[in-house]
Amino acid sequence: MSKSTIKKNVHKILAELPDDVQVVAACKMRIPEEIQAAIDAGIKIIGENYVQEAEEAYQKVTGDIEWHFIGHLQKNKVNRAVKICDMIESLDSFKLAKRIDSQCEEINKVMKCLVEINSGREEDKYGIMPEEAEGFVKEISGLKNIKILGLMTMGPFMGNPDEFRPYFRLTRELFEDLKRKDIPGCSMKYLSMGMSFSYKIAVEEGANIVRIGTEIFGTREPQKSF
Ligand SMILES: *Cc1c(COP(=O)(O)O)cnc(C)c1O
């Protein structure tokens, strides 16, 4: 997609969202030139699903930006991910948390993390089951190089944006519940929900981070030229 279209898309999204909602540009399969166009148009947070792609973009794009990891992070790539990332939104297991903690300790970093909730309780999806979230957060709150700052969810794939609402609502309720419990070492500040198809519903349901790819960059097809 052309630079000017990306710019127009970003401006439109930023203009219609409330000021307290942050936009993560979901950049999987995008080339650095496209990512740079989004940054130049006002995007402040880059979302990456793959460590390799993140490293390439990190070398090539410039700007006053933060890097969020939003995909499933494999344990053998944690050492590389923690060097780049400011936040890992997709914390989905205790083993991963321990690995992030130990790798961050080595480079003297405290990683901001969101706990990924499997709000649709789908067998084949990553994320912590809603009923296990509190125990999970308590278990992790002892790790010194991780700071839990909220929750993230994808929700099951739905044909109609409004069908996401119950999954977003459930995650919001869990977020509020954990906030009330005020678990030491964890502060419920960010709720990351909603993608291109569903972000308006997510914001209505309390999201303050939305992750948008297609609405910024167009459909994900192999790029021939820019
Ligand atoms: C790809 C992706 C998005 C954005 O998806 P779009 O439908 O292209 O907006 C959001 N979150 C995660 C975790 C993703 O992998």
Side-chain angles (χ1 to χ4, degrees):
M1 196 167 266
S2 77
K3 239 180 218 188
S4 64
T5 310
I6 292 172
K7 186 171 166 191
K8 205 177 73 207
N9 291 343
V10 169
H11 287 170
K12 180 170 169 283
I13 291 165
L14 295 180
E16 70 192 12
L17 283 173
D19 288 344
D20 57 351
V21 176
Q22 297 184 295
V23 179
V24 173
C27 293
K28 59 179 173 280
M29 296 171 68
R30 309 301 175 178
I31 57 175
E33 287 82 353
E34 291 175 295
I35 301 174
Q36 189 65 54
I39 296 167
D40 295 345
I43 286 295
K44 300 273 182 224
I45 310 175
I46 303 302
E48 293 285 351
N49 288 64
Y50 306 105
V51 173
Q52 178 100 26
E53 277 188 7
E55 287 172 335
E56 196 190 326
Y58 192 79
Q59 297 287 324
K60 290 189 179 156
V61 307
T62 56
D64 184 15
I65 44 174
E66 270 191 39
W67 296 80
H68 287 198
F69 203 82
I70 61 175
H72 173 64
L73 181 54
Q74 291 171 293
K75 280 178 276 303
N76 62 359
K77 295 198 174 128
V78 170
N79 59 338
R80 288 156 62 192
V82 297
K83 288 187 188 122
I84 296 174
C85 293
D86 300 291
M87 184 188 282
I88 293 171
E89 293 198 16
S90 44
L91 188 58
D92 58 10
S93 77
F94 189 63
K95 276 187 180 161
L96 177 62
K98 283 190 64 158
R99 183 97 188 130
I100 293 169
D101 185 59
S102 66
Q103 294 296 319
C104 281
E105 192 178 354
E106 280 189 20
I107 58 169
N108 256 317
K109 187 166 180 175
V110 175
M111 185 60 71
K112 298 185 271 186
C113 291
L114 306 183
V115 175
E116 182 172 354
I117 303 298
N118 185 347
S119 55
R121 296 190 170 82
E122 296 168 282
E123 294 273 332
D124 57 340
K125 292 272 176 72
Y126 293 110
I128 305 299
M129 292 295 171
E131 60 278 13
E132 288 164 7
E134 186 179 340
F136 182 75
V137 167
K138 284 181 175 159
E139 205 172 355
I140 287 173
S141 61
L143 301 175
K144 288 192 182 59
N145 293 75
I146 284 187
K147 176 84 181 158
I148 302 280
L149 287 180
L151 305 180
M152 181 272 240
T153 201
M154 299 273 286
F157 179 77
M158 293 294 176
N160 172 338
D162 220 46
E163 292 176 272
F164 281 93
R165 210 181 275 283
Y167 304 100
F168 291 158
R169 192 163 290 175
L170 178 151
T171 310
R172 163 73 184 272
E173 282 165 4
L174 190 54
F175 177 80
E176 298 296 343
D177 183 48
L178 292 171
K179 191 190 275 186
R180 267 193 305 276
K181 287 185 171 143
D182 201 16
I183 298 164
C186 133
S187 120
M188 285 290 139
K189 201 170 161 197
Y190 299 113
L191 183 57
S192 175
M193 316 191 286
M195 320 195 338
S196 290
F197 192 51
S198 58
Y199 72 91
K200 288 177 189 156
I201 303 288
V203 169
E204 284 173 20
E205 294 298 333
N208 55 18
I209 297 180
V210 293
R211 308 175 310 271
I212 303 180
T214 309
E215 284 283 307
I216 294 175
F217 300 109
T219 52
R220 277 180 289 274
E221 287 155 16
Q223 292 295 323
K224 291 197 189 70
S225 64
F226 181 66

